[in-house]
Amino acid sequence: MIKIALVDDESYFLNILYEKVSSIMQDIFPENLIQKFTSGRAFLSEHKKAPFNTVFLDIVMPEEDGFKVAEEICEISEQTYIIFVTTESMLVYDSFSFHPFDFIPKTSPDILEKKLKTALRRLSLRYEKERIIDINLPHNKTKPVKMLDIIFVSSSGNNVQYNFKDNSIVEVRQKLTTVEAELDEMIFMRLHKSFIVNMNFIENIDTHSLIVTLKNGTIIPISKPYKKDVEKHYNEYLKKFGR
């Protein structure tokens, strides 16, 4: 579950921001909770109880401006991503000490939506990079790994091999369908009965020759029954995240 806070003293803009963020997140990261706050103090009260993953923070607000709120956010949780929202472009330079994830200008609805989509898609990848899954090892042991460190998973018989970006390999007794259910379908793609690939590591897809070339040079076959799904799935990935 991803928790997102929207903080802005202008109720009209806050409602627009809420509608657009909700719509975009439903498409790229459905498991989310989005809350609106019209003051930094009200937001901080909730943030102290259970920190938000991301906050869209207006810079110019009465009582406490966005920079003062950002100071307290950093004291409470260094893992919270701050996205400043402002009409004052010059204030952006004063915000660098807070290491903001992004800036969103208060502008026309179309431009606002475009900027939000870019920021939220980048965020969704960041969330996935931090997501941990457990690989079940023999003797009831588990190995926690970052999901996006997995380049591809292959199967042979009753075993699967996890291939990681540091060139390490972990082999366990498991079905590939079980692994597939644990991986994020926005990032991982089944292209063969024996292979699942992390699309972040794809260099090229040749549907004519039915092969996928990964960035580390590994070549993986595409089986004919998966060809159409591979094209569709990878095009959807590129639309959301680009190369």
Side-chain angles (χ1 to χ4, degrees):
M1 175 70 74
I2 301 300
K3 290 181 61 183
I4 298 177
L6 312 177
V7 186
D8 197 302
D9 63 298
E10 298 178 25
S11 296
Y12 175 74
F13 179 79
L14 185 61
N15 289 332
I16 292 175
L17 187 62
Y18 179 82
E19 289 177 5
K20 293 192 177 298
V21 171
S22 298
S23 175
I24 296 167
M25 285 299 290
Q26 187 60 38
D27 180 44
I28 63 175
F29 214 107
E31 296 180 8
N32 64 74
L33 174 65
I34 303 171
Q35 291 182 252
K36 297 184 293 183
F37 300 91
T38 55
S39 76
R41 188 49 49 194
F43 156 72
L44 287 170
S45 178
E46 291 299 313
H47 187 61
K48 289 175 182 177
K49 297 176 186 176
F52 287 83
N53 301 101
T54 298
V55 54
F56 287 81
L57 183 60
D58 187 16
I59 295 179
V60 181
M61 294 188 293
E63 298 179 11
E64 287 185 307
D65 64 29
F67 293 153
K68 290 181 180 178
V69 175
E71 285 181 10
E72 294 197 45
I73 290 173
C74 295
E75 291 175 2
I76 297 168
S77 172
E78 293 182 354
Q79 287 73 43
T80 298
Y81 297 116
I82 298 173
I83 298 177
F84 284 114
V85 183
T86 183
T87 56
E88 306 293 333
S89 59
M90 292 303 295
L91 292 177
V92 167
Y93 299 100
D94 298 327
S95 70
F96 289 157
S97 60
F98 303 108
H99 306 290
F101 182 80
D102 210 336
F103 306 94
I104 301 294
K106 288 187 177 182
T107 182
S108 68
D110 289 344
I111 295 177
L112 175 65
E113 184 169 0
K114 183 178 180 180
K115 295 286 187 180
L116 286 171
K117 281 183 177 179
T118 299
L120 289 169
R121 285 168 181 168
R122 287 176 57 226
L123 266 176
S124 67
L125 281 177
R126 188 70 63 90
Y127 294 146
E128 288 298 338
K129 285 180 181 179
E130 296 169 357
R131 184 175 167 187
I132 303 295
I133 64 171
D134 290 324
I135 297 177
N136 295 317
L137 302 176
H139 311 298
N140 294 321
K141 294 182 178 180
T142 60
K143 177 182 176 63
V145 300
K146 287 187 176 181
M147 184 182 294
L148 287 200
D149 284 348
I150 301 169
I151 298 179
F152 69 93
V153 185
S154 61
S155 68
S156 177
N158 293 319
N159 290 353
V160 298
Q161 284 189 343
Y162 291 84
N163 294 260
F164 295 93
K165 66 180 183 180
D166 64 358
N167 297 319
S168 64
I169 297 174
V170 174
E171 183 169 345
V172 296
R173 189 175 181 82
Q174 197 171 27
K175 292 182 178 180
L176 194 60
T177 51
T178 302
V179 176
E180 186 176 21
E182 294 176 345
L183 300 176
D184 190 330
E185 64 179 11
M186 286 196 305
I187 307 298
F188 289 85
M189 172 174 62
R190 183 77 169 262
L191 42 75
H192 190 281
K193 67 178 182 179
S194 301
F195 291 96
I196 297 173
V197 169
N198 181 339
M199 289 182 278
N200 288 316
F201 292 97
I202 290 178
E203 179 66 30
N204 182 60
I205 292 181
D206 186 340
T207 53
H208 178 71
S209 300
L210 294 177
I211 59 172
V212 168
T213 304
L214 303 184
K215 293 177 181 178
N216 64 0
T218 301
I219 295 176
I220 296 176
I222 303 170
S223 62
K224 287 184 178 180
Y226 286 91
K227 179 181 176 182
K228 288 185 178 179
D229 285 342
V230 166
E231 291 178 302
K232 179 182 177 182
H233 204 156
Y234 191 57
N235 284 333
E236 289 174 351
Y237 167 83
L238 291 178
K239 287 179 183 178
K240 289 180 178 179
F241 304 114
R243 288 190 63 85

